[in-house]
Amino acid sequence: MEKFSLKAFSSATQEDSIKFGWKAVRQALLSKAGFRVPEGFLLCVKDWNSIGEAYTQAMAQFPEVMHGSAIMRSSAAGEDGTLTYAGVFDSEVFDGRLPESFERAAKKLLASYASEIARLYAERNAAASEANLHLTALVQRMLQPSCSGVAYSH
């Protein structure tokens, strides 16, 4: 069994949504299309004993993201697919230079997938529960913008 996977934005395809979720893949595809998206990578952790190894590989492969403040954003199955899950799952800011900060962010994000609000959202929208047994996320360099926004169309 694969313990974890990391994938660069530049090599992501629509087929990767099965493993990494739609939010992560759509961010990667926007980046590849020339939109200004903060550097990042896709993360899937299936074996929690490998989180340290995933961190080490992320540091080696994506130093532009991991050497400073970064954000781990949810990309659960179904999120930004048929349902938005807007505000349901967490995003966690972490210090990419510290393995314990990376692990703490991953655990908090995973816990939000199994939260009561996630269960109620899925139930209310007649969707299967999105609580994964593994973490799927989008990790990006943290920005300090003067303003930001969200665009949504469905």
Side-chain angles (χ1 to χ4, degrees), residues 8-79:
F9 271 10
S10 60
S11 61
T13 65
Q14 285 189 352
E15 290 74 30
D16 289 317
S17 65
I18 294 166
K19 180 186 283 186
F20 298 105
W22 272 113
K23 181 191 283 182
V25 169
R26 285 194 174 123
Q27 290 283 305
L29 295 175
L30 284 169
S31 177
K32 285 172 63 172
F35 288 89
R36 293 179 57 184
V37 176
E39 298 90 57
F41 61 91
L42 314 178
L43 169 69
C44 178
V45 178
K46 293 184 179 180
D47 177 356
W48 279 99
N49 293 322
S50 69
I51 195 71
E53 190 180 343
Y55 171 79
T56 301
Q57 190 170 330
M59 281 294 285
Q61 283 185 253
F62 307 105
E64 71 282 359
V65 177
M66 297 294 289
H67 285 272
S69 289
I71 187 162
M72 191 174 294
R73 302 176 61 205
S74 64
S75 187
E79 183 179 9

Side-chain angles (χ1 to χ4, degrees), residues 116-128:
E116 180 69 4
I117 192 168
R119 185 190 65 75
L120 290 172
Y121 183 88
E123 193 175 276
R124 188 168 134 211
N125 289 286

Side-chain angles (χ1 to χ4, degrees), residues 93-104:
V93 176
F94 68 98
D95 185 337
R97 299 164 293 195
L98 303 173
E100 62 275 11
S101 185
F102 179 84
E103 183 174 349
R104 189 171 40 254

